[in-house]
Amino acid sequence: MSLPFLYVANWKMDFTHEQAISFCAQHVQDLQKMKSAQSEIVLCPSFTELDAVSNQIKNTSIQLGAQNCSRHRAGAFTGEISAQTLKKLGCSYCIVGHSERRQYHHESNIEIAAKVERLIEVGITPIICIGETAQEYENKQTKVILEQQLDLVFDVLNNFNNDAPIIPIAYEPVWSIGTGTIASQEYLAEIFQWLFKTVPTFTKGIEYRYLYGGSVNEKNASEIKQIPHISGFLIGSASRDFQKFKNIVS
Ligand code: PGA
């Protein structure tokens, strides 16, 4: 049986506390109606709204995700949030390795792999983001870069084997994030075909699902959904506008 299509709303730091709460207060019932056997919806607010949103979506099948977590289990790491805490707050997913974290917080592939490990240990599914920069795209280095970004993650996943959840890999060309520029259908089809064939060869007993992210909106969503092996979206700006998000899901 094929998996439901995964819609991950990455609210980034764009909602204030009030906006996040009011989005849920107004739309949770509609989101619940939009959710079907063919779709799974995950809301990823900032850390500070996780608890409130968790309460607001209680008794629905909408799921909660965080945008990041600490690579450490616990200890003297001022300002960090542990995977264990995220679990307690009700997160079933957590985004890791988003390009904004790699770029502005200099997150390395080593750190990202450690975060994947912390999350799986506590029963949270990591949504692992990968993607090439515009320069790397121009230089036709995409596949090499994606392999480098995943290499240490595969080592971690191989320690879990059958105990790991189905792992979502979100391919987001960095040059498509927040820019309105989307790669051609042919290019995306080639990359997703390659991911689908290549990724499972590096691990044993791990299942994957593949998400696309980068300027997904209500106009391009149905076309991108047709690309083989894409079974979810990581959506930034369009996920904060309920009508746009709804149009993408339906
Ligand atoms: P965008 O963001 O949809 O605004 O391009 C996607 C992302 O950052 O995950």
Side-chain angles (χ1 to χ4, degrees):
M1 217 187 69
S2 66
L3 290 167
F5 203 90
L6 186 61
Y7 297 91
V8 182
N10 177 10
W11 289 348
K12 310 196 182 189
M13 205 177 72
D14 279 321
F15 264 162
T16 61
H17 180 74
E18 289 75 17
Q19 284 170 327
I21 306 302
S22 115
F23 181 98
C24 290
Q26 286 178 57
H27 303 303
V28 162
Q29 295 314 319
D30 298 312
L31 287 170
Q32 174 63 13
K33 282 188 212 136
M34 281 152 54
K35 156 125 197 24
S36 68
Q38 288 86 45
S39 60
E40 207 181 319
I41 295 174
V42 184
L43 301 181
C44 301
S46 299
F47 288 133
T48 43
E49 280 69 54
L50 284 172
D51 196 28
V53 172
S54 180
N55 279 315
Q56 288 178 296
I57 61 178
K58 204 161 60 194
N59 306 322
T60 74
S61 44
I62 311 301
Q63 303 193 67
L64 188 66
Q67 298 176 14
N68 182 30
C69 76
S70 170
R71 65 186 285 196
H72 303 283
R73 285 191 186 90
F77 301 103
T78 304
E80 291 290 285
I81 313 278
S82 72
Q84 207 171 17
T85 296
L86 298 178
K87 182 70 182 173
K88 279 267 183 305
L89 291 173
C91 290
S92 37
Y93 287 95
C94 180
I95 298 168
V96 285
H98 191 282
S99 69
E100 287 149 17
R101 305 260 356 139
R102 292 178 190 265
Q103 189 181 347
Y104 305 126
H105 301 273
H106 310 292
E107 273 187 18
S108 66
N109 292 326
I110 297 175
E111 275 174 85
I112 291 159
K115 290 176 185 206
V116 168
E117 192 168 28
R118 294 295 80 77
L119 290 164
I120 299 178
E121 276 170 0
V122 302
I124 295 178
T125 302
I127 299 170
I128 302 163
C129 299
I130 54 171
E132 82 285 8
T133 61
Q135 180 84 59
E136 290 157 351
Y137 171 76
E138 295 295 333
N139 295 343
K140 303 198 185 327
Q141 290 174 301
T142 301
K143 292 174 189 169
V144 175
I145 295 298
L146 301 188
E147 263 184 24
Q148 281 170 5
Q149 290 175 337
L150 286 170
D151 195 33
L152 296 171
V153 167
F154 290 141
D155 289 347
V156 164
L157 293 176
N158 272 323
N159 293 330
F160 289 97
N161 299 119
N162 299 326
D163 296 332
I166 298 173
I167 302 292
I169 300 215
Y171 169 58
E172 303 197 290
V174 178
W175 48 279
S176 285
I177 298 177
T179 59
T181 306
I182 296 234
S184 69
Q185 294 278 109
E186 295 70 34
Y187 179 76
L188 293 179
E190 182 196 328
I191 298 297
F192 278 93
Q193 172 66 23
W194 176 79
L195 284 171
F196 179 76
K197 286 195 95 178
T198 315
V199 165
T201 63
F202 290 96
T203 52
K204 281 208 184 79
I206 307 284
E207 284 184 69
Y208 297 92
R209 66 207 296 194
Y210 303 94
L211 278 52
Y212 170 78
S215 296
V216 174
N217 61 37
E218 75 275 37
K219 296 195 186 80
N220 58 30
S222 54
E223 213 177 323
I224 306 174
K225 269 186 208 173
Q226 306 302 321
I227 297 172
H229 312 303
I230 295 185
S231 60
F233 287 149
L234 182 48
I235 310 161
S237 69
S239 73
R240 296 185 298 274
D241 178 319
F242 176 70
Q243 205 48 53
K244 288 185 182 165
F245 189 56
K246 185 177 175 191
N247 291 340
I248 292 170
V249 176
S250 39

